[in-house]
Amino acid sequence: MDGSVARPRPFLALGLRLATAATLATMAMLLKLASTRGVHLAELVFWRQTITLVILTGLLAATGKFASIKTKRFGAHTQRAVYGITGMFFVYGAVILLPLAEATAISFTTPFFAVMLSVILFGDTVGRYRWGAVALGFGGVLILTRPAFGFGAVTSIDPIGAIIGLVAALLVAAISFQIQDLNKTEAPWSIVFWFTALTAPPMLIILPFVIQPHDAQTWGIIVAMALFGALGQILLTSSLRFGSAGVILLMDYTALLWATWYGYTVFDRSPPTNLWLGAPLIIAAGLLIAWRERRLAVSREKVETTPN
């Protein structure tokens, strides 16, 4: 299918995921900035999807790659679109309700949900290492979401925002499995195109109920948010095409650096003490899961290559 079948290229996948983390962190900053200027969440989602669809259609036309969006798996694309647009509302909602660094740290629970989904959906056997990592990670979440007493200050985060962030992480884990499955037969262009093409029209129906007039600067922020979102989505899909989700997700942790920097420079918010206590536990748990996944993958490779 003209390059639609995924080929493992681990270093390329890691590089793409690093770029994805930086790009999506920038998009989150612009999203939060737009929300502080009165832009409704549903309107942000509409422009994010519509501008991505326009850009992608133009690129496909300019490069003559419209053939790459042909698919025999329309049902799988539809399912991915439903999960994707729902996940987008939760991810964006968490960014709006929570400080950037805290929203980013909570998003790191995605690998833990991936472990649980692998058991529920695929019947995978999960040993003490990965269950221990899940427990460690959620311990970090508890620390992160509790008030922190440090340097005489009390810091807490919106509990509704924390719950929304955890649901977002669960949906992102489910979507990652969907994208990996689609990458077996579909080109990245096709996956992104059908996602935007299937979700932009429903958002257009909602738009008249939420849209408001904006000044030029706000429109600039909205357009920039959508552009970074489009680029991030293409990079994310491509990274899952060339590498295992369990390994390349490690690069997502660099987003915390970007989120902390943006929180300080754009929103004048220093990271609280509980972020530095909880986030390392979450990251350590993710690293443990990735290490264990790698060990299991190596063991499977040895079994498959051993002559009978």
Side-chain angles (χ1 to χ4, degrees):
M1 192 177 289
D2 191 26
S4 63
V5 178
R7 297 179 299 277
R9 298 178 63 181
F11 289 108
L12 174 60
L14 292 174
L16 288 171
R17 200 67 180 205
L18 276 173
T20 300
T23 302
L24 292 181
T26 303
M27 184 210 69
M29 178 272 292
L30 292 167
L31 175 88
K32 191 172 185 68
L33 190 59
S35 72
T36 64
R37 301 174 72 90
V39 186
H40 194 279
L41 172 59
E43 183 183 353
L44 288 167
V45 173
F46 168 79
W47 291 117
R48 161 73 170 78
Q49 294 301 85
T50 301
I51 291 175
T52 300
L53 179 60
V54 170
I55 292 172
L56 188 57
T57 301
L59 288 173
L60 289 170
T63 57
K65 289 186 176 180
F66 262 116
S68 68
I69 69 172
K70 292 181 180 179
T71 181
K72 294 181 179 179
R73 302 185 64 189
F74 189 76
H77 283 290
T78 302
Q79 185 180 55
R80 184 267 187 275
V82 172
Y83 276 81
I85 198 67
T86 305
M88 188 175 289
F89 270 95
F90 278 92
V91 170
Y92 288 10
V95 168
I96 290 172
L97 292 173
L98 300 174
L100 277 178
E102 283 86 334
T104 301
I106 289 176
S107 74
F108 294 158
T109 58
T110 293
F112 320 147
F113 287 115
V115 169
M116 290 186 283
L117 287 175
S118 69
V119 174
I120 296 170
L121 299 178
F122 308 111
D124 287 357
T125 301
V126 177
R128 62 182 183 275
Y129 287 104
R130 286 187 287 178
W131 281 128
V134 170
L136 178 65
F138 278 111
V141 171
L142 291 176
I143 293 173
L144 181 65
T145 54
R146 286 175 60 86
F149 297 85
F151 305 104
V154 179
T155 305
S156 62
I157 63 175
D158 183 350
I160 301 301
I163 292 171
I164 289 174
L166 289 170
V167 173
L170 170 62
L171 290 170
V172 169
I175 293 163
S176 294
F177 284 118
Q178 290 178 321
I179 292 175
Q180 275 210 298
D181 178 61
L182 284 168
N183 266 321
K184 295 175 182 178
T185 59
E186 310 291 287
W189 294 107
S190 176
I191 297 171
V192 179
F193 174 83
W194 286 113
F195 175 48
T196 54
L198 290 170
T199 53
M203 294 310 303
L204 179 60
I205 298 172
I206 300 173
L207 184 65
F209 299 99
V210 297
I211 193 170
Q212 298 178 4
H214 307 301
D215 59 28
Q217 187 174 7
T218 302
W219 276 117
I221 294 170
I222 292 172
V223 172
M225 179 275 300
L227 292 175
F228 273 95
L231 177 59
Q233 190 170 359
I234 293 171
L235 289 171
L236 183 148
T237 303
S238 298
S239 70
L240 288 169
R241 178 179 180 78
F242 294 114
S244 167
V247 176
I248 62 176
L249 284 174
L250 296 179
M251 299 300 102
D252 290 357
Y253 296 133
T254 59
L256 183 59
L257 302 176
W258 290 100
T260 302
W261 185 67
Y262 282 136
Y264 181 74
T265 59
V266 178
F267 301 101
D268 194 27
R269 187 181 190 280
S270 299
T273 304
N274 54 330
L275 175 68
W276 301 123
L277 295 174
L281 294 180
I282 297 172
I283 292 172
L287 292 173
L288 178 57
I289 289 174
W291 170 79
R292 188 57 179 168
E293 290 288 344
R294 180 57 185 164
R295 290 286 299 272
L296 292 173
V298 170
S299 298
R300 285 193 295 268
E301 290 174 3
K302 288 181 178 179
V303 171
E304 291 173 358
T305 56
T306 301
N308 292 328

